[in-house]
């Protein structure tokens, strides 16, 4: 029977009560450790299609009669379009439709940033559509752009947090450190740009789109076009990356839908790389003015921070103060996070939004404090270990184990420093990580076992590229006792499977995995019931193992194909749902990175030589794909730390880094040695798997670990990302002056 | 002229002089098959492969020769198909990912998990195939040098290096 319960749902740190239907009793977790299939290295089940170029991405879809769209974007950071000449554009070669401001969601006559969409043209070819933009003859009234986040308009409702008394905490501190940190805006640069193809099939609007959330697209498009949600079918079989930027639809989706409606033709609207780097989102820049106080033994007494997020023209105010609120056991904490509205492209979620930026500030501040206290940075972190956040216990926390495993890497610092050579100084730094990643309900999965003994998992989720199909296949195969190559995973189509969660917030495995396991268990139960009746055995002595139905006394072994083969073409159908999260607990992920760097103190060049990444994310389902996630996060983190920055013209607000030669992504030549270590301890309170997510954690501590290694190597405090040669040389000069002043004081007092 | 208006300019040229007006490429070999094509002036090889021939394994991620996703072999050497005008290739032999599907590198990438979203991967395979054809046992340094023009936003680089370093070991 369906049971209706009320439960808590966490979305990036905010809790809300939701109604949830629970259909079955929860399953016991598997014992800790690698199982027959779960926890074992498995090749990615959809790798052949992707590697051989057979996988069809939205970018690859062609429909007969498909029109192509070009979008008119503002060349100014702040402007109003006074007029456009629709008729002249409509008369241009190949043009079949024009949309002006207000004619599709996202097209507006006031442009708040360089690249803001204003109008759109659909034509027989993309080149014709692009050429027709010129025929629109847009006339602009250029407005003054606001570009300084410290002077611009701020959101009315800054996020405020307080526990204890910050001033009292600072008063009782033996040592206080204060510092201002700045982080830059970086661009997602998913390799498949944001795009959609819309076409009508009868009264159903089909939306083919590169998205992290099929169901969110369905609801937004249905609402915008005033359609019943089931009259919108959303398809995303394969997508070329997202990193948080494809959580929701934007103008390109609504433009394609509206033009398909008006022209009756299939319509593609795809951003070019340059448009992608203007208008598809970014990690917002931050300013962080931080203070920390501690007793001489290292006990934290106070943490305070004023944060300014440059969210752009729109966008939300991420929890840049999250690490300061949550990472340490400190009685007195006060933070305020302002969202600054400026005339730059709007931010979007980017792999652990807020926490990547906030961890850079907090974990650098902790090391500056350790230096001042003359304490070991690892010991300082252990000393202030948190056992609860806001009086909520953790469902599981193995950060102390991460620190223990970090010791061997941390110990290398003596040897690493001794390898300093001439202008090249070497050092080691560490930083901790805290983030969400527990997932949550609702999410559903079906499973179909055919008479050939093969199973198909069916659920309308999407695979952002993390190995979703592989993890789901492993979970289903483990529960059904069949080899993983007998499981297909069918996903990516809202018309083909049940509701599934967003591929964001490190939630795929923790949200979907338990539903898939329960669906497989439901099918398994039915198969054993069938076998029990056919072979006259008690059901409780039967099990599925290695593709056979076996009895626990060992004297029955029937191939699964024979049991389900009884059904001919009929199938065993299982269904499963994600249960609730543990009430009253924080479900969080933890980790610690140890970085080794070399700094050329003459030129300011920084080379990262090694990063050890140790993470606690509960049970590990797919170790091979998990290692790929960790490496990918670390490498994106290195780009964020050393080379990536969206540059603006300081006067006009124009984005200067639209191309991949100007915007510097890491290459294969920039990759250091990466050592991964996952604690792999199931969270006993969390679902039938005990697994948390791993997508975001590995990028979080990278910048601070590198900056702290630079301090270890050179004594210089870098406080601004990216750590360009200019920033490195500035920090070195500052350290030199500080040392000189200290010497002077010492000389004066002797 | 700024970059945006250069793009528009190019589009205008294509629209005014090309797109509907075609010219033939009578002798183009793609994956061993001979083609006599009649395609719009100004079309890139990537456009022809993807839009005219349905060979969508070749991906376009930047469209201006910066990322390597569109790499194909022309006469056995890696070339960026998104900035190669197809009409310059008359008489050439082109190999795309579709012609390399049974290359041992495919299995090496599979085995080492050298793929995440997969959008850059066909281009990585093509570049790697040129490398191992010229140098069957490349050093790690040589791999990094040869592959640094193929960007990957997911960060599969360590696995790509591993795949190429061990491509003929299985």
């Amino acid at each position: 029977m369906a049971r209706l319960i009320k439960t808590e749902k966490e979305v990036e740190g905010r809790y809300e009560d939701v109604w949830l239907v629970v259909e079955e009793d929860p399953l016991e977790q598997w014992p800790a450790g690698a199982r027959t299939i779960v926890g074992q290295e498995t090749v990615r089940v959809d790798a052949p299609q992707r590697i051989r170029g057979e996988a069809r991405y939205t970018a690859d879809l062609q429909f007969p009669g498909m029109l192509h769209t070009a979008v008119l974007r503002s060349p100014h950071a702040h402007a109003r379009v006074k007029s456009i000449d629709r008729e002249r554009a409509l008369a241009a070669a190949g043009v079949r439709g024009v949309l002006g401001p207000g004619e599709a969601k996202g097209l507006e006559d006031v442009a708040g940033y360089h690249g803001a969409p204003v109008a759109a043209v659909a034509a027989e070819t993309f080149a014709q559509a692009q050429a027709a933009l010129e025929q629109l003859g847009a006339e602009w009234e250029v407005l003054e752009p606001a570009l300084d986040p410290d002077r611009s308009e701020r959101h009315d409702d800054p996020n405020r947090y307080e526990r204890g008394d910050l001033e009292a905490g600072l008063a009782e501190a033996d040592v206080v450190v204060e510092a201002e940190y700045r982080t830059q805006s970086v661009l997602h640069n998913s390799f498949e740009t944001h795009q959609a193809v819309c076409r009508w099939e009868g009264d159903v609007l089909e939306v083919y789109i590169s998205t992290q959330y099929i169901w969110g697209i369905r609801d937004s498009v249905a609402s915008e076009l005033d359609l019943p949600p089931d009259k919108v079918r959303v398809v995303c079989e394969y997508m070329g990356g997202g990193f948080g930027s494809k959580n929701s639809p934007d103008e390109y989706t609504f433009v394609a839908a509206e033009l398909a409606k008006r022209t009756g033709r299939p319509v593609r609207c795809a951003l070019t790389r340059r448009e992608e780097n203007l208008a598809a989102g970014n990690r917002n820049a931050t300013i962080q003015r931080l203070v920390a106080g501690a007793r001489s033994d290292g006990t934290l007494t106070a943490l305070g921070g004023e944060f300014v997020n440059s969210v752009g023209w729109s966008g939300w105010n991420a929890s840049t103060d999250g690490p300061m609120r949550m990472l340490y056991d400190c009685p007195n904490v006060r933070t305020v996070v302002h969202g600054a509205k400026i005339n730059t492209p709007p931010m979007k979620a980017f792999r652990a939004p807020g926490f990547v930026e906030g961890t850079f500030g907090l974990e650098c501040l902790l090391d500056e404090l350790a230096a001042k206290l003359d304490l070991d940075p690892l010991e300082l972190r252990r000393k202030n270990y948190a056992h609860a956040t806001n009086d909520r216990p953790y469902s599981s926390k193995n950060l102390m184990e991460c620190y223990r495993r970090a010791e061997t890497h941390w110990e290398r610092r003596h040897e690493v420093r001794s390898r300093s050579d001439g202008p090249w100084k070497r050092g080691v730094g560490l930083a901790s990580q805290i983030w969400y990643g527990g997932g949550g309900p609702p999410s559903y999965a079906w499973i179909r076992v055919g008479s050939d003994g093969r199973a198909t998992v069916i659920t309308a989720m999407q695979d952002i590229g993390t190995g979703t199909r592989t993890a789901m296949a492993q979970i289903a195969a483990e529960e059904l006792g069949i080899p993983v190559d007998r499981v297909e995973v069918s996903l990516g189509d809202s018309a083909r499977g049940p509701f599934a969660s967003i591929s964001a917030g490190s939630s795929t495995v923790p949200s979907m995995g338990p539903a898939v396991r329960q669906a497989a268990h439901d099918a398994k139960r039915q198969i054993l019931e069938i076998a029990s009746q056919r072979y006259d055995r008690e059901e409780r002595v039967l099990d599925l193992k290695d593709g056979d139905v076996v009895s626990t006394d060992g004297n029955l072994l029937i191939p699964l194909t024979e049991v389900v083969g009884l059904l001919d073409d009929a199938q065993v159908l299982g269904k499963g749902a994600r249960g609730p999260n543990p009430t009253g607990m924080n479900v969080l992920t933890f980790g610690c990175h140890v970085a080794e760097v070399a700094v050329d103190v003459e030129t300011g060049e920084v080379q990262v030589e090694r990063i050890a990444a140790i993470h606690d994310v509960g049970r590990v389902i797919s170790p091979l794909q998990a290692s790929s996630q960790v490496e990918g996060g670390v490498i994106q983190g290195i780009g964020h730390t050393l080379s990536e920055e969206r540059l603006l013209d300081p006067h006009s607000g124009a984005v200067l880094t639209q191309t991949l030669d100007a915007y510097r992504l890491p290459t294969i030549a920039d990759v250091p040695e990466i050592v991964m270590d996952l604690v792999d301890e199931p969270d006993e309170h969390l679902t039938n798997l005990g697994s948390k997510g791993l997508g975001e954690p590995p990028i979080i501590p990278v910048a601070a670990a590198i900056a702290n290694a630079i301090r270890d190597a050179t004594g210089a405090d870098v406080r601004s990302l990216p750590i360009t040669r200019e920033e490195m040389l500035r920090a070195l000069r500052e350290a030199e002056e500080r040392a000189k002043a200290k010497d002077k004081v010492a000389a004066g007092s002797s | 002229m700024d970059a945006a208006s250069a793009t528009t300019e190019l589009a205008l040229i294509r629209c005014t002089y090309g797109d509907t007006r075609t010219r033939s490429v009578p002798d183009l070999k793609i994956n061993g098959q001979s083609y006599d094509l009649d395609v719009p002036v100004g079309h890139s090889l990537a456009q022809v492969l993807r839009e005219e021939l349905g060979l969508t394994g070749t991906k376009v991620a930047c469209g201006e020769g910066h990322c390597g996703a569109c790499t194909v072999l022309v006469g056995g050497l890696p070339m960026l198909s998104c900035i190669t005008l197809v009409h310059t290739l008359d008489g050439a032999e082109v190999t795309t990912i579709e012609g390399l599907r049974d290359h041992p590198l495919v299995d090496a990438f599979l085995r080492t998990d050298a793929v995440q979203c997969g959008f850059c991967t066909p281009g990585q395979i093509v570049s790697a195939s040129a490398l191992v054809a010229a140098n069957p046992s490349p050093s790690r340094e040589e791999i990094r040098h040869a592959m640094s023009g193929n960007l990957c936003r997911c960060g599969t680089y360590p696995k790509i290096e591993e795949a190429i370093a061990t491509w003929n070991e299985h």
Side-chain angles (χ1 to χ4, degrees):
Chain A
M1 188 193 115
R3 262 187 315 126
L4 186 67
I5 62 166
K6 201 160 203 182
T7 184
E8 280 182 336
K9 182 173 180 166
E10 171 260 309
V11 184
E12 300 198 335
R14 290 188 290 269
Y15 292 87
E16 56 182 74
D17 282 337
V18 293
W19 288 104
L20 181 68
V21 174
V22 183
E23 301 195 24
E24 289 146 83
D25 292 330
L27 289 170
E28 290 281 308
Q29 287 184 7
W30 292 309
R35 311 290 301 160
T36 311
I37 294 165
V38 160
Q40 303 286 352
E41 290 209 348
T42 308
V43 295
R44 208 171 273 250
V45 299
D46 55 358
Q49 292 90 317
R50 293 183 196 261
I51 298 169
R52 291 155 55 99
E54 296 162 340
R56 282 210 187 275
Y57 297 76
T58 306
D60 300 326
L61 299 177
Q62 299 237 28
F63 294 110
M66 185 171 77
L67 299 174
H68 299 262
T69 311
V71 175
L72 178 70
R73 297 179 181 277
S74 170
H76 309 289
H78 198 191
R80 185 192 313 275
V81 65
K82 290 191 289 189
S83 66
I84 56 167
D85 190 343
R86 303 169 47 101
E87 295 313 311
R88 198 160 61 126
L90 268 172
V95 172
R96 300 289 174 255
V98 173
L99 298 176
E103 291 186 89
K105 189 176 177 185
L107 301 180
E108 290 172 16
D109 60 352
V110 175
Y113 56 98
H114 179 201
V118 172
V121 175
E124 298 291 341
T125 71
F126 182 57
Q128 287 172 330
Q130 276 187 309
L133 293 182
E134 203 83 349
Q135 305 303 310
L136 282 170
E139 287 190 34
W140 303 93
E141 176 195 347
V142 180
L143 307 169
E144 187 66 28
L147 296 170
D148 182 347
D150 258 343
R151 289 187 191 169
S152 72
E153 179 190 341
R154 287 182 175 179
H155 292 185
D156 295 335
D157 51 344
N159 300 334
R160 292 182 189 279
Y161 174 84
E162 188 158 21
R163 69 171 182 257
D165 181 337
L166 178 68
E167 277 72 28
L170 289 171
E172 63 179 289
D174 297 319
V175 167
V176 171
V177 290
E178 270 184 274
E180 179 179 308
Y181 299 93
R182 286 181 183 244
T183 64
Q184 81 282 37
S185 180
V186 295
L187 301 165
H188 300 77
N189 268 308
S190 307
F191 260 34
E192 184 183 35
T193 60
H194 286 61
Q195 53 192 290
V197 180
C198 290
R199 70 165 183 174
W200 288 88
E201 276 290 304
D203 62 350
V204 173
L205 176 64
E206 294 183 344
V207 182
Y208 299 83
I209 181 168
S210 189
T211 183
Q212 294 175 233
Y213 194 25
I214 282 175
W215 295 88
I217 301 292
R218 186 191 76 137
D219 291 351
S220 304
V221 171
S223 153
E224 193 55 29
L225 274 76
D226 203 16
L227 293 165
D230 273 347
K231 294 292 182 191
V232 179
R233 177 186 170 207
V234 181
V235 181
C236 177
E237 299 261 2
Y238 291 94
M239 65 184 294
F243 312 109
S245 69
K246 293 177 180 167
N247 289 343
S248 54
D250 286 304
E251 85 289 342
Y252 61 93
T253 316
F254 302 115
V255 161
E258 183 62 29
L259 285 166
K261 189 169 144 187
R262 293 193 186 187
T263 61
R265 305 262 299 264
V267 176
R268 167 188 296 287
C269 187
L271 273 63
T272 63
R273 176 60 45 192
R274 292 177 188 220
E275 288 177 289
E276 185 79 7
N277 280 337
L278 289 174
N282 55 78
R283 185 190 293 285
N284 60 252
T286 71
I287 303 168
Q288 309 176 30
R289 299 185 175 100
L290 311 184
V291 61
R295 292 188 209 283
S296 53
D297 68 352
T299 307
L300 284 171
T301 58
L303 287 170
E306 188 212 1
F307 301 81
V308 182
N309 288 331
S310 300
V311 298
W313 184 240
S314 58
W316 48 281
N317 203 11
S319 301
T320 312
D321 63 336
M324 180 171 272
R325 289 190 276 112
M326 297 158 68
L327 192 49
Y328 295 110
D329 181 28
C330 175
N332 306 300
V333 180
R334 188 167 74 215
T335 64
V336 55
V337 188
H338 298 283
K341 182 174 178 172
I342 53 177
N343 291 105
T344 58
M347 62 75 77
K348 276 192 187 162
F350 191 161
R351 211 168 189 169
F355 278 57
V356 165
E357 303 85 328
T359 299
F360 171 66
L362 177 68
E363 287 293 85
C364 286
L365 187 73
L366 255 278
D367 266 37
E368 294 196 31
L369 185 66
K372 211 161 177 181
L373 287 163
D374 200 20
L375 285 175
D376 179 289
L378 181 55
E379 278 319 302
L380 182 65
R381 286 166 174 86
R382 280 180 166 138
K383 189 159 192 75
N384 294 287
Y385 196 79
H387 294 278
T389 294
N390 296 333
D391 301 326
R392 275 172 178 260
Y394 303 112
S395 57
S396 72
K397 178 177 181 179
N398 296 298
L399 182 56
M400 205 55 105
E401 173 63 14
C402 295
Y403 288 149
R404 193 189 66 76
R405 295 185 187 201
E407 277 170 17
T408 52
H409 308 289
W410 185 232
E411 274 311 308
R412 289 163 55 96
R413 66 192 184 284
H414 310 292
E415 183 271 330
V416 169
R417 282 180 202 149
S418 73
R419 280 192 285 109
S420 293
D421 183 20
W424 285 97
K425 307 294 178 204
R426 289 186 160 77
V428 177
L430 66 85
S432 309
Q433 168 259 316
I434 190 167
W435 174 247
Y436 306 99
S443 275
Y444 303 91
W446 299 333
I447 201 158
R448 184 176 76 196
V449 184
S451 52
D452 56 358
R454 296 182 61 85
T456 304
V457 175
I458 304 159
T459 178
M461 66 194 299
Q462 52 288 311
D463 183 349
I464 187 176
T466 49
T468 299
R469 285 179 178 87
T470 311
M472 298 307 132
Q474 284 182 268
I475 291 164
E478 181 73 41
E479 183 65 26
L480 283 170
I482 59 176
V484 74
D485 61 9
R486 283 209 221 158
V487 181
E488 305 287 331
V489 179
S490 168
L491 50 75
D493 188 340
S494 68
R496 204 167 58 199
F499 175 87
S501 68
I502 188 170
S503 297
S506 302
S507 68
T508 298
V509 163
S511 291
M512 289 308 304
V516 169
R517 184 179 170 212
Q518 197 171 47
H521 183 79
D522 186 27
K524 174 178 168 176
R525 181 184 53 76
Q526 296 175 54
I527 291 163
L528 297 182
E529 283 170 2
I530 291 164
S532 148
Q533 294 164 60
R534 177 66 181 82
Y535 301 103
D536 202 20
R537 298 292 170 108
E538 274 188 79
E539 192 195 325
R540 62 177 179 84
V541 302
L542 297 177
D543 199 5
L544 276 170
K545 213 174 170 186
D546 301 331
D548 300 311
V549 175
V550 295
S551 65
T552 45
D553 57 17
N555 60 14
L556 183 82
L557 192 148
I558 315 275
L560 172 63
T561 46
E562 199 176 310
V563 181
V564 286
L566 295 168
L567 305 176
D568 214 349
D569 270 348
Q571 297 155 333
V572 175
L573 303 174
K575 61 174 183 162
R578 168 62 150 85
N581 275 3
T583 306
M585 289 181 160
N586 281 308
V587 186
L588 299 168
T589 56
F590 304 92
C592 169
H593 284 193
V594 183
E596 298 178 10
V597 304
V599 181
D600 182 335
V601 294
E602 288 174 358
T603 65
E605 184 181 351
V606 177
Q607 286 184 0
V608 180
E609 298 191 325
R610 185 178 190 269
I611 288 190
I614 305 144
H615 288 276
D616 164 31
V617 293
R619 177 194 296 282
V620 177
I621 304 293
S622 312
L624 185 58
Q625 286 70 36
S627 70
S628 293
Q629 277 304 297
V630 171
E631 289 162 0
V634 166
I635 292 165
Q636 268 186 2
I638 290 171
H640 178 224
T641 309
L642 296 181
S643 67
E644 295 182 36
E645 182 172 23
R646 184 196 63 191
L647 290 171
L648 299 176
D649 179 295
H651 302 294
S652 69
V655 177
L656 303 174
T657 46
Q658 299 174 41
T659 57
L660 290 178
D661 57 341
Y663 186 86
R664 292 187 297 151
L665 300 178
T667 74
I668 193 169
D670 298 313
V671 177
E673 180 189 357
I674 300 171
V675 181
M676 180 196 76
D677 188 359
L678 299 177
V679 174
D680 197 10
E681 187 68 42
D683 180 335
E684 61 168 334
H685 298 291
L686 183 67
T687 74
N688 58 35
L689 292 178
S691 292
K692 300 172 190 174
L694 181 61
E696 288 156 308
I699 195 176
I700 294 173
V702 175
I706 291 172
N708 289 338
I710 289 171
R711 179 176 306 97
D712 187 53
T714 65
D717 299 319
V718 289
R719 296 209 176 103
S720 178
L721 297 181
I723 306 167
T724 57
R725 292 187 185 207
E726 292 90 329
E727 168 62 10
M728 190 63 245
L729 292 172
R730 182 207 61 75
L732 285 164
R733 272 196 306 274
E734 187 191 76
E736 207 174 311
E737 281 158 22
R738 203 169 48 215
K740 269 189 207 153
K742 210 172 167 185
D743 285 349
K744 228 183 231 170
V745 172
S749 65
S750 63
Chain B
M1 188 189 305
D2 72 13
S5 61
T7 310
T8 313
E9 184 91 342
L10 185 63
L12 273 169
I13 291 165
R14 281 181 185 165
C15 193
T16 313
Y17 302 105
D19 257 14
T20 50
R21 226 171 60 168
T22 61
R23 256 180 60 189
S24 76
V25 189
D27 178 22
L28 184 60
K29 209 173 243 185
I30 301 172
N31 301 328
Q33 188 129 26
S34 292
Y35 288 89
D36 175 2
L37 297 171
D38 197 33
V39 289
V41 173
H43 263 39
S44 68
L45 173 61
Q47 259 180 307
V48 171
L49 292 171
R50 291 175 50 78
E51 295 167 20
E52 309 279 334
L53 305 179
L55 297 173
T56 55
T58 300
K59 305 299 180 201
V60 175
C62 75
E64 45 193 333
H66 295 148
C67 76
C70 68
T71 308
V72 300
L73 301 180
V74 177
L77 296 175
M79 205 157 198
L80 298 167
S81 67
C82 78
I83 52 167
T84 302
L85 293 172
V86 72
H87 289 90
T88 66
L89 293 177
D90 197 33
E93 257 186 61
V94 173
T95 307
T96 70
I97 183 65
E98 285 84 356
L100 295 167
R101 282 182 173 163
D102 297 322
H103 195 289
L105 276 164
V106 170
D107 188 55
F109 271 56
L110 176 72
R111 176 168 44 77
T112 56
D113 204 45
V115 55
Q116 288 188 37
C117 84
F119 210 76
C120 74
T121 316
Q124 305 275 3
I125 292 278
V126 174
S127 288
S129 76
L131 168 63
V132 301
N135 179 1
S137 302
S139 68
R140 298 272 170 170
E141 272 313 300
E142 287 167 334
I143 294 169
R144 286 174 167 230
H145 183 77
M147 299 301 294
S148 58
N150 285 78
L151 299 178
C152 169
R153 188 45 156 166
C154 300
T156 57
Y157 299 131
K159 300 280 165 67
I160 290 173
E161 193 179 308
E162 186 63 22
I164 299 172
T166 62
W167 76 283
N168 53 7
E169 285 177 14
H170 286 255

